[in-house]
Amino acid sequence: MADLLGEIANRKSPRAFQSRPVEEDKIQLLLQAFQWAPSSYNKQPWRIVLATNPHVLAQMHEGIMTGNRRWAVKAPVLAVIVSQIAADDVRHDNALPYFLYDCGQATMSLVLQAEHMGLRCHQMAGWEQGPIREALGIPEGEQPIVLMAIGYEGDIADLDERSREKEMLPRTRKELREFAFRDRWGNPA
Ligand SMILES: Cc1cc2nc3c(=O)[nH]c(=O)nc-3n(C[C@H](O)[C@H](O)[C@H](O)COP(=O)(O)O)c2cc1C
């Protein structure tokens, strides 16, 4: 019988990371997974800046909001997903900001490749643009979208108390019937 892809079923966004570095060949595969995502008109609006240099990481830590900083400082890799906003398609009635959608898909490709290689990722919206732009030299006209901690999962015993409490909460999802329909809006799928 078919089953859910292991990388999807097991993926999670942990707070506990080991400080152990991520191997260079794995970093390159993460980038290839990001590269090969689909995008509207194949515009590939995504960019990614990965940081592993301790000085750069320390500068980035300054831009991470307190609740995230508590745990994210341990991660050996921090990545920022950036998009060129001008790459958005506005030629149709359907003028949605597809650049965000494209970046999301590329990010999920990277996340699943990470899972496949025994790594974990934790995406964050809780950070400040200024210090992160400054730390990485991100130019004007390029929009940082999401920050991501990448590494091997660590031991929750090493977390501070507040992070540990959050980490121990059960992972939940809405029921399928709340958002997945068949043949007509509202019909259970
Ligand atoms: C765009 C985005 C922003 C997020 N921002 C944060 C954040 O700032 N801090 C945090 O702890 N988790 C953050 N998360 C992680 C989510 O809270 C997490 O994915 C969600 O609770 C589901 O848990 P799971 O990824 O383990 O399935 C973010 C996730 C995404 C996709």
Side-chain angles (χ1 to χ4, degrees):
M1 201 175 110
D3 58 2
L4 202 56
L5 208 58
E7 286 80 355
I8 294 175
N10 300 323
R11 185 207 59 78
K12 61 180 255 196
S13 305
R15 290 176 181 79
F17 283 96
Q18 299 176 32
S19 53
R20 167 184 167 197
V22 175
E23 297 83 346
E24 192 53 39
D25 58 326
K26 292 192 177 178
I27 289 181
Q28 295 306 317
L29 287 166
L30 292 178
L31 295 176
Q32 285 179 36
F34 189 75
Q35 174 184 31
W36 281 98
S39 63
S40 173
Y41 289 95
N42 198 22
K43 282 185 185 168
Q44 306 162 66
W46 49 66
R47 288 95 173 77
I48 183 167
V49 191
L50 282 167
T52 54
N53 178 307
H55 299 294
V56 178
L57 289 172
Q59 273 183 279
M60 291 178 77
H61 296 159
E62 298 298 311
I64 302 179
M65 287 176 186
T66 318
N68 289 330
R69 197 188 302 162
R70 285 194 192 99
W71 53 264
V73 291
K74 294 253 179 72
V77 181
L78 287 176
V80 186
I81 312 303
V82 179
S83 187
Q84 209 183 28
I85 293 189
D88 190 17
D89 178 45
V90 289
R91 279 175 290 174
H92 294 293
D93 291 349
N94 200 7
L96 292 172
Y98 282 110
F99 69 92
L100 284 176
Y101 186 88
D102 297 340
C103 285
Q105 298 212 78
T107 304
M108 193 60 186
S109 284
L110 182 156
V111 168
L112 293 178
Q113 179 68 32
E115 286 289 324
H116 183 63
M117 300 187 300
L119 294 162
R120 297 251 196 238
C121 301
H122 194 145
Q123 299 177 63
M124 287 168 269
W127 46 281
E128 289 174 80
Q129 299 265 341
I132 297 295
R133 278 186 179 276
E134 178 77 21
L136 299 170
I138 298 170
E140 289 294 312
E142 302 281 347
Q143 178 60 54
I145 295 171
V146 83
L147 186 64
M148 182 162 39
I150 305 172
Y152 292 97
E153 190 170 356
D155 188 343
I156 66 165
D158 296 335
L159 287 172
D160 64 282
E161 201 177 322
R162 283 168 76 172
S163 301
R164 189 164 49 245
E165 277 169 14
K166 287 188 194 166
E167 192 67 16
M168 285 166 67
L169 294 173
R171 291 176 61 244
T172 59
R173 287 301 186 267
K174 293 177 182 173
E175 297 293 334
L176 277 174
R177 65 179 154 70
E178 295 180 65
F179 62 86
F181 310 125
R182 175 84 56 107
D183 295 329
R184 189 170 175 79
W185 189 271
N187 283 352

